[in-house]
Amino acid sequence: MGILEKITSIFSSKPKARTKLASQTKVTKIQSLEKKKIPVARLQIGMTVIELDRPWTDLPVLFQEITIVKQKEIDMLQKYCQHVYIDAYSYRTIYADALANRKRNVIYKKPDLTPKQASQNLREEMPRARKAFDKSHKHINQLMKDVERDSHIDINSSKELVSSCVDSILSNETAMFWLSKIKHKDEYTSEHCVRVGILAIAFGKYLQMPRDELELLGLCGMLHDVGKMKVPQHILNKEGALTEDEYQIVKEHTILGYVFLRNHGGIDEAVCTAAYNHHERMNGDGYPRHIEAPLLTAFDRIIGIVDSYDAMTSDRCYRKGMPPSQALSILYKEQGNHYDANLVQEFIQMVGIYPVGSMVELNDGQIAIVLAVNEDHKLEPVVEIITDANHKLIKPIAVDLSKHQQNSKGNYLKIKRALADNEIDFDLEDYVHNAA
Ligand SMILES: [Fe+2]
């Protein structure tokens, strides 16, 4: 079975029983204990409770810290407490598994996929999404300059902008996905940071993370590569292959980013750590410290996946970007070794072979943009046809490919192949802006 078929088979398979990261793995902590206050309603098996909202002696048990392994321990804490303080590291590490096992019907609503509705949803959300996207891009551009000069960065503005991106994505992520497809080669680093933030928020939404976690994850994405501004630009933008020495310098962006964010003050440890660990891999093959799975938080793993996906699907000064399906194949091949296997499978489920906003060529040569992924027919999304068979622009026509529509010659429309971003000469920016 080829990789594409294997990925496709994930869509039709039922969710597998997942291993518990925290309960089965002896976890070495990266740093001293960082506590997080949560309401008792959010307690989960695997969390380590280190402080209560009342003395431990009020409880009918003899301990002063507990790693929850049974439901009855949660029941007991819920009976006696309103909120508790947990070891934040234990929280993040188990998060991906706990969320993946939850039913997906709280905030990830199944979209109405009639072509008309999908098109309308996109156009309604586009003005708000564009405002948040453009502001974020402008802000990250300035922030990168500040990092380069070792100046103070406006982290409160970063948080506000991430929050506005979360608003838009929670409402309808399609518009943000479309905007993320507009790529300018000469602004790779800042655009990449914004895209990683947006994609991370969308992935967190898919995993049903609560809003405060989505905002933190988005900030991790937006700031994960700030250390690149400490790398000489002639090396970062070199068109040919890097020498071994140059590659070693590029790798240092992880450490430099971490040190900058840590020394800046007032920035959540998770954000600093994601900058440090986003190139680390599950089997220790990554850099800079070659640390392995037990030391990588769910946030580090998510940013690692999203960062790699965006880098692979974007044009770089030394190579062209690849179609999304090819990038997903690589993530799939490297799951377990390089990337968290559960998260990769969830990510593939979310993105789909034909992600929203991506371009496809139909079997009759027409070019279309994916408007919405059809949950029951992932290989037959709702698309908007934008060119004729000769690649001449036409008035867009929204079509649900799962409904087996025919073209003017009576042939059933199917996707022939996925296109890489920027593969055809088409002004997506102009098109998206006119879509609002
Ligand atoms: Fe990086």
mmCIF file of all heavy atoms in Angstrom, residues 225 253 278-279, ligand 1:
data_model
loop_
_atom_site.group_PDB
_atom_site.id
_atom_site.type_symbol
_atom_site.label_atom_id
_atom_site.label_comp_id
_atom_site.label_asym_id
_atom_site.label_seq_id
_atom_site.Cartn_x
_atom_site.Cartn_y
_atom_site.Cartn_z
ATOM 1 N N ASP A 225 10.030 31.012 16.045
ATOM 2 C CA ASP A 225 11.256 31.190 15.246
ATOM 3 C C ASP A 225 11.911 32.553 15.441
ATOM 4 O O ASP A 225 12.695 32.969 14.583
ATOM 5 C CB ASP A 225 10.898 31.016 13.753
ATOM 6 C CG ASP A 225 11.429 29.709 13.180
ATOM 7 O OD1 ASP A 225 12.163 29.002 13.896
ATOM 8 O OD2 ASP A 225 11.123 29.405 12.017
ATOM 9 N N HIS A 253 19.347 29.026 16.116
ATOM 10 C CA HIS A 253 18.200 29.935 16.282
ATOM 11 C C HIS A 253 17.275 29.436 17.409
ATOM 12 O O HIS A 253 16.579 30.222 18.040
ATOM 13 C CB HIS A 253 17.428 30.111 14.978
ATOM 14 C CG HIS A 253 16.497 28.995 14.608
ATOM 15 N ND1 HIS A 253 16.921 27.865 13.957
ATOM 16 C CD2 HIS A 253 15.168 28.819 14.816
ATOM 17 C CE1 HIS A 253 15.883 27.057 13.762
ATOM 18 N NE2 HIS A 253 14.809 27.620 14.277
ATOM 19 N N HIS A 278 11.248 23.173 19.173
ATOM 20 C CA HIS A 278 10.429 22.824 18.003
ATOM 21 C C HIS A 278 11.168 22.030 16.943
ATOM 22 O O HIS A 278 10.539 21.471 16.047
ATOM 23 C CB HIS A 278 9.747 24.072 17.392
ATOM 24 C CG HIS A 278 10.675 25.065 16.778
ATOM 25 N ND1 HIS A 278 11.344 26.022 17.510
ATOM 26 C CD2 HIS A 278 11.050 25.264 15.494
ATOM 27 C CE1 HIS A 278 12.076 26.763 16.707
ATOM 28 N NE2 HIS A 278 11.918 26.323 15.472
ATOM 29 N N HIS A 279 12.500 21.951 17.013
ATOM 30 C CA HIS A 279 13.229 21.079 16.073
ATOM 31 C C HIS A 279 13.711 19.797 16.745
ATOM 32 O O HIS A 279 14.436 19.014 16.128
ATOM 33 C CB HIS A 279 14.430 21.829 15.476
ATOM 34 C CG HIS A 279 14.036 22.886 14.488
ATOM 35 N ND1 HIS A 279 13.563 22.592 13.224
ATOM 36 C CD2 HIS A 279 14.010 24.241 14.590
ATOM 37 C CE1 HIS A 279 13.278 23.724 12.586
ATOM 38 N NE2 HIS A 279 13.538 24.738 13.396
HETATM 39 FE FE FE B 1 12.774 26.876 13.532
#
